[in-house]
Amino acid sequence: MVPGTLTAIEAAAVIRRGGVIAYPTEAVWGLGCDPLNATATRRLLSIKRRSVDKGLILVASHLDQLHGFMDLGSLARERLEKVLSTWPGPHTWALPAGSAAPAWITGARFSIAVRVSAHPAVVALCDACGHALVSTSTNRAGEPPAHRQEALDPALLQKVDGVLQGETGGMERPTLIRDAASGAVLRE
C-alpha cells in the first residue's frame, strides 16, 4: 500500500518516530529521515539499495541545524564566506565533518555534504522537525531520479512511511556538490 500525502507537521512526526519519508526538493524527489537515527538511516539506505560507504547529504532550513555536523572553523575565511554566501539556496557543499557527524552519514569520507535550502517544502519540513534531515534522491541506486511525484516508483513508495505534499523547485538537475575547501565540483 502506498502511503498517504502528509503535511510538514505530520511528516515531522513520522520522522521523529524513526520513519522514512519522500519529499520534494529543489530538483528531484528526496528520501529523508533523522540523520542521528542509525536505524532509520540504514533503512533508507536499504530502500534505496545504496552503500553506506557513499555517504549522504544533509539538508537544513537554517545553518544552526547543521551545527556539529560540519567543521566550518577548518575552512579558510574566503572559502567559508563563499559557502555562506550561497545559502539559503540550491548549493550543496562538502565540508570537513564535525564531531556530531555519524559514520552512517559520512560513509567512507572525512567530509559531509550539506545544504541550507530555500525550497518551501524542505524549509517547512526541517522547521517542523527542528533539525537537519537526510536528503537523497527517491530512486534506487543506478536509476534516474523522479522530478515529479507521479514519476515516483510505486514499489519504492510502498517501503516509505509517508510522502510530504508539494512539488519540486523546477531545477532540471540535482544540485551540484562542490568541495568547500577548493570549490572543485564533485558532482555535476
Side-chain angles (χ1 to χ4, degrees), residues 41-157:
T41 304
R42 286 190 175 98
R43 183 169 157 238
L44 178 147
L45 290 166
S46 175
I47 290 168
K48 191 168 171 67
R49 296 183 185 158
R50 179 184 173 105
S51 168
V52 70
D53 291 341
K54 287 187 160 193
L56 292 162
I57 295 171
L58 295 188
V59 65
S61 59
H62 304 284
L63 183 62
D64 291 350
Q65 292 178 341
L66 296 169
H67 179 74
F69 287 110
M70 57 187 183
D71 179 10
L72 293 177
S74 66
L75 289 179
R77 192 174 122 247
E78 64 274 358
R79 294 305 312 156
L80 177 58
E81 288 173 359
K82 176 61 178 171
V83 169
L84 296 178
S85 74
T86 66
W87 288 340
H91 304 278
T92 303
W93 293 92
L95 291 134
S99 60
W104 57 84
I105 298 296
T106 59
R109 297 180 167 83
F110 296 106
S111 62
I112 187 166
V114 294
R115 178 170 73 253
V116 177
S117 181
H119 186 278
V122 175
V123 170
L125 182 57
C126 289
D127 284 350
C129 287
H131 57 76
L133 299 170
V134 169
S135 185
T136 185
S137 57
T138 305
N139 59 289
R140 297 244 162 83
E143 296 178 5
H147 292 273
R148 296 179 342 280
Q149 185 173 354
E150 303 79 37
L152 291 168
D153 178 355
L156 189 142
L157 284 180

